[in-house]
Amino acid sequence: MDHQPNPGALAGVRVLDLSRVLAGPWCTQTLADLGADVIKVERPGSGDDTRGWGPPFLRDRDGHDTAEAAYYLGTNRNKRSVTIDIARPEGQDLVRRLADHCDVLVENFKVGDMARYGLDASTLRAGRPRLVYCSITGYGQTGPYRDRAGYDYAIQGLGGLMSVTGERDDLPGGGPQKVGVAVADLFTGMYATVAILAALRHRDATGEGQVIDMALLDTQVAMLANLGANYLVTRQAPKRAGNAHQNIVPYQVFEVADGHLILAVGNDGQFERFCSVAGCPELAADARFAKNAGRVRERATLVPLLAEVMRQRTRADWLTALEAAKVPCGPINGLDDVFADPQVNARAMTAVMAHPHHDRLELVASPIKMSATPPRLRLPPPLLGQHTDEVLAEIGLEAGQIAALRAAGVV
C-alpha cells in the first residue's frame, strides 16, 4: 500500500456512488484515485453486477477462486462499500442521510427509477443546494429514447462507431465490428469525471451545485471526432477501412515472417526511407508512388508489392531497422507483451495492493501523472458491505441501530 503524505487533489471531497457496472464506477474510481472519499452503495447480498462477471476471479492465498471478479476489481479501488436496499423506505432514508454528508452523488439507474425512490436530483437537491448530482444513462434524461436501457454494445452500433470499425465490406471478414473494450462506457465515465470537476469548481465559486445529465449515446456521437466532422462537412458517411487509413498509404497492418506489424508512413520522405530499408528503392522512385496522393490512388497496386516485401523479415528485424531510419512503425502486442514492455513498466502502469483475500493484488494503475498530487493507492477494491458499519457510524448511527437495520435486511 502507498503511504505517501500527499492526500490527493480531491481530499475532502466525498462522493456517494450509486452506480454499477462500468461507466459510473470508472468515473468514481478516477475521483477516488485523485483523493476523493467514495462511498459505494450496493445491493445487500449481491452488490455490483460485475462482482460476478467472471471467470476470471481473484484467487485467495490458497489458490481458490473468491467471489471477486477481475472485472469488478479493475474499476473499484479506493472506495468504501456500504450495502443498502434503496427499494426500502429505511434504505432511502439512509441514502438521504449519506447525501447530507456528500459533495457529489453519481447514479446510473434507468430514467425515473430514482424519482420513485425519492432520490432524484430535484428531490435531493431541494434541501442540499450544494450537491452535485450526476446521472449516467444510455440515452439521457430527455428525448424519445430516454426510457430505453442503454448498453455499450448497442450504443457502439447506434452511435456510428461500428460503421467505421472493422474490415472493408468487400474483403474477407468484412463487416461491422465493435471495439474490444467498452469504449462508450469508458469515455462516458471520463466525460462525467470532467463534468463533476467543473461543477465542483462552480460550486466552490458560487455555493451552488448542479445537475449533470450524461448519456452514453451523446458521448459516442462526440467520440466520432474527426469522422463526425468529416461527415458534417461533406454529408458523406465514411466507410470501414479495416486497419488501413483512408487518406494515407502505406498506413496499415502488414503480415511479417512471424506475426504482424503496424507501418505508419506519414509523408513522402518516410516512404523513401522505408523503401531504402526494405530493399526496394525503385518503388520510391516510381512516379506512381513517389507522392502520397499517387500512393492512395494506386493503393491496389502498391500494397500487394509492399505486403510481399514485409513477409520476408521478422517483426524484430523490421522494428529495429525502421526505428533506426525513423520510419513510424510498431508491434501489435498481446497483453503479455504489454505488461512486460519496458516503457509500460517505466511508466509504472501496474500497481500492487494488499487485499483481504490476497497479499499482492495487481491492478492496472492510473495513467494520470501529477507532480504535486499524483493518484494514490489507498484502499483495495472493497468486499461487499465491508465498510457499512464504519460509514453509517460516521453519519451518527449507533451500533444498535445498525444491527437492527441489518436484521431487517435494510443493510
Side-chain angles (χ1 to χ4, degrees):
M1 296 290 286
D2 182 356
H3 297 292
Q4 300 175 49
N6 152 46
L10 297 183
V13 172
R14 180 170 286 178
V15 178
L16 187 57
D17 182 7
L18 278 74
S19 69
R20 58 203 183 280
V21 187
L22 186 54
W26 198 250
C27 165
T28 55
Q29 178 171 265
T30 303
L31 297 172
D33 284 351
L34 294 172
D37 176 18
V38 174
I39 299 169
K40 182 179 178 69
V41 175
E42 302 186 72
R43 293 170 298 199
S46 57
D48 190 313
D49 299 3
T50 62
R51 286 183 180 274
W53 284 10
F57 293 93
L58 175 66
R59 291 182 176 175
D60 62 21
R61 293 174 182 83
D62 298 322
H64 302 128
D65 278 353
T66 68
E68 313 298 307
Y71 194 125
Y72 165 81
L73 296 172
T75 58
N76 286 287
R77 63 169 170 260
N78 285 334
K79 304 177 187 180
R80 297 191 289 168
S81 172
V82 174
T83 49
I84 299 176
D85 184 353
I86 68 170
R88 302 271 293 274
E90 304 93 331
Q92 295 156 16
D93 182 62
L94 287 177
V95 172
R96 294 187 194 99
R97 293 182 63 172
L98 283 167
D100 287 335
H101 297 262
C102 290
D103 302 280
V104 179
L105 185 149
V106 179
E107 60 89 8
N108 66 346
F109 284 76
K110 285 187 289 187
V111 172
D113 280 359
M114 297 301 279
R116 284 195 289 274
Y117 299 140
L119 301 175
D120 55 299
S122 59
T123 301
L124 280 185
R125 293 195 65 253
R128 304 166 185 84
R130 290 178 58 82
L131 184 66
V132 173
Y133 191 108
C134 178
S135 293
I136 300 174
T137 57
Y139 301 96
Q141 302 292 314
T142 59
Y145 301 166
R146 65 192 292 270
D147 294 323
R148 294 184 184 180
Y151 298 94
D152 177 275
Y153 202 157
I155 297 295
Q156 286 194 37
L158 180 64
L161 184 60
M162 290 175 66
S163 76
V164 295
T165 305
E167 188 53 270
R168 284 169 30 192
D169 290 346
D170 60 336
L171 294 177
Q177 184 70 49
K178 74 178 181 67
V179 178
V181 294
V183 289
D185 273 331
L186 295 170
F187 266 70
T188 304
M190 294 309 298
Y191 271 114
T193 302
V194 172
I196 287 168
L197 295 177
L200 287 173
R201 177 77 173 93
H202 172 78
R203 194 277 306 271
D204 291 346
T206 67
E208 285 291 320
Q210 60 184 293
V211 180
I212 300 168
D213 174 10
M214 296 299 309
L216 269 68
L217 180 59
D218 296 352
T219 297
Q220 178 57 76
V221 173
M223 283 169 58
L224 295 173
N226 60 298
L227 294 183
N230 289 352
Y231 172 74
L232 292 176
V233 168
T234 66
R235 293 293 165 174
Q236 295 182 3
K239 304 296 185 182
R240 282 179 288 275
N243 288 314
H245 195 291
Q246 297 190 15
N247 305 110
I248 307 173
V249 174
Y251 202 99
Q252 65 184 77
V253 171
F254 284 97
E255 183 181 354
V256 296
D258 58 350
H260 293 85
L261 182 77
I262 297 167
L263 181 64
V265 170
N267 59 50
D268 299 332
Q270 290 174 358
F271 183 65
E272 185 175 3
R273 294 199 300 274
F274 163 75
C275 290
S276 177
V277 169
C280 52
E282 70 279 2
L283 293 180
D286 191 315
R288 294 174 298 170
F289 310 137
K291 300 294 184 182
N292 181 69
R295 294 194 294 275
V296 173
R297 282 192 294 266
E298 299 292 339
R299 182 195 304 261
T301 300
L302 176 60
V303 169
L305 297 175
L306 299 181
E308 182 59 32
V309 171
M310 295 296 291
R311 282 193 287 267
Q312 305 308 311
R313 295 162 69 174
T314 66
R315 185 174 82 162
D317 287 344
W318 278 120
L319 289 173
T320 300
L322 294 174
E323 287 169 2
K326 299 189 179 337
V327 175
C329 61
I332 301 173
N333 284 337
L335 296 197
D336 52 345
D337 298 312
V338 171
F339 289 110
D341 189 277
Q343 182 67 18
V344 172
N345 289 319
R347 297 291 289 174
M349 282 308 300
T350 58
V352 176
M353 309 182 76
H355 185 274
H357 291 317
H358 200 284
D359 296 330
R360 288 181 55 83
L361 168 62
E362 193 169 14
L363 298 171
V364 180
S366 171
I368 298 172
K369 314 296 182 187
M370 300 175 73
S371 62
T373 55
R376 290 182 55 206
L377 296 176
R378 295 175 288 112
L379 299 169
L383 302 178
L384 180 60
Q386 180 178 345
H387 304 97
T388 300
D389 290 16
E390 172 186 307
V391 170
L392 294 184
E394 290 173 2
I395 62 171
L397 273 72
E398 298 179 353
Q401 293 174 296
I402 297 171
L405 288 168
R406 180 168 282 112
V410 176
V411 302

